[in-house]
Amino acid sequence: MGEQVTDPCEAAARLRELFDGARSAVFFGGAGVSTASGIPDFRSEDGLYRQRFAYPPEEMLSAGFLRNHPEEFFDFYRERMVCPDARPNRAHAKLAELEREGHLAAVVTQNIDGLHQAAGSRRVLELHGSVHRNVCQGCGETYPAEWVLATTGVPRCERCGGVVRPDVVLYGESLSERVLLDSVRALEEADLLVIGGTSLVVYPAAGLVRYFGGEKVVVVNRDPTPADATADLVCACDIAKAFDF
């Protein structure tokens, strides 16, 4: 392991220095990026997977559960997976700023909340899709998250009556090949990789970091990750505070 810092101010200073010297950085993020926006993560002490529901969350977020228990799926989806009041936090805002300044080439995210785009990031590669795209399985008509939230039961297309499902990758489904290839290309061309707010245990997404072709790897995460052992810098602190520079 390289250098480790726990003070957010020190982490912010080191990140500023690294981004200032980068021409094509990539940020690879997960649920921890959005916790400061009020969206719970999955595996932390207060995460979604530690809470009690009628079914395990992993089961309710599976393609099989959507197929066999559609009403229960959409009840859980509306209540827990769509957060209409969430707003971008400092990490989202700084990443968008770094892109505008020419230091950040892409955000590769496992999140489905759309907060990177809301903050102004333009090149966002959504590995697991987005709650803001909902597609009719009959005719392909698309609907925003607000439309789904206003429905009850299984949402039905206003045009053809087909089931409208979120454009998110559920357990048991494959990631978009196009998004995967774009992510691999961005990582291969990057000169700095910053991994933030992710436990790096969800595959195949977590395996993408091995395609990084540059020299410097930074991890910004409160809890240890598998990438810590080979990272040049580990910032074990709050990610929103670490990006406050």
Side-chain angles (χ1 to χ4, degrees):
M1 183 191 297
E3 181 183 2
Q4 182 169 10
V5 300
T6 58
D7 178 62
C9 294
E10 184 178 355
R14 295 301 309 278
L15 286 172
R16 181 202 295 270
E17 177 184 352
L18 288 166
F19 274 111
D20 282 347
R23 300 181 309 277
S24 183
V26 166
F27 178 81
F28 183 94
V33 179
S34 296
T35 53
S37 296
I39 299 178
D41 62 8
F42 292 88
R43 292 173 176 80
S44 70
E45 185 175 342
D46 299 320
L48 192 65
Y49 289 173
R50 300 292 184 95
Q51 301 176 31
R52 293 185 178 275
F53 301 99
Y55 301 88
E58 300 97 319
E59 181 179 350
M60 288 190 284
L61 293 175
S62 69
F65 194 83
L66 170 59
R67 183 172 55 252
N68 298 321
H69 305 277
E71 292 200 1
E72 290 94 334
F73 170 87
F74 280 105
D75 286 345
F76 180 78
Y77 178 74
R78 291 187 189 94
E79 181 181 356
R80 297 289 180 169
M81 304 309 295
V82 185
C83 303
D85 297 327
R87 297 292 180 267
N89 61 56
R90 183 56 183 162
H92 298 109
K94 175 53 70 171
L95 288 166
E97 180 183 323
L98 290 165
E99 182 186 39
R100 290 193 297 271
E101 293 174 349
H103 299 297
L104 184 68
V107 169
V108 180
T109 180
Q110 300 170 82
N111 294 343
I112 60 176
D113 52 44
L115 291 180
H116 285 293
Q117 292 93 329
S121 289
R122 300 183 64 182
R123 191 181 183 199
V124 181
L125 301 171
E126 297 174 313
L127 295 171
H128 296 152
S130 173
V131 298
H132 296 284
R133 297 187 301 271
N134 299 272
V135 184
C136 172
Q137 301 305 284
C139 67
E141 183 76 4
T142 60
Y143 294 89
E146 292 76 15
W147 181 89
V148 174
L149 289 174
T151 64
T152 57
V154 179
R156 295 281 179 176
C157 178
E158 295 174 353
R159 176 188 292 180
C160 74
V163 174
V164 177
R165 63 153 284 176
D167 185 19
V168 300
V169 180
L170 302 173
Y171 287 106
E173 295 180 329
S174 299
L175 275 63
S176 163
E177 183 175 351
R178 178 189 60 80
V179 176
L180 282 172
L181 290 174
D182 287 348
S183 300
V184 168
R185 188 175 301 111
L187 287 160
E188 288 177 337
E189 297 173 352
D191 57 0
L192 168 66
L193 172 60
V194 178
I195 301 168
T198 175
S199 57
L200 287 180
V201 298
V202 177
Y203 283 80
L208 287 173
V209 299
R210 72 177 186 271
Y211 290 100
F212 174 58
E215 296 182 357
K216 294 290 185 179
V217 176
V218 179
V219 175
V220 187
N221 201 60
R222 289 183 307 177
D223 301 317
T225 79
D228 292 5
T230 55
D232 298 283
L233 173 65
V234 176
C235 302
C237 60
D238 181 271
I239 188 169
K241 293 180 181 178
F243 274 86
D244 191 13
F245 60 90

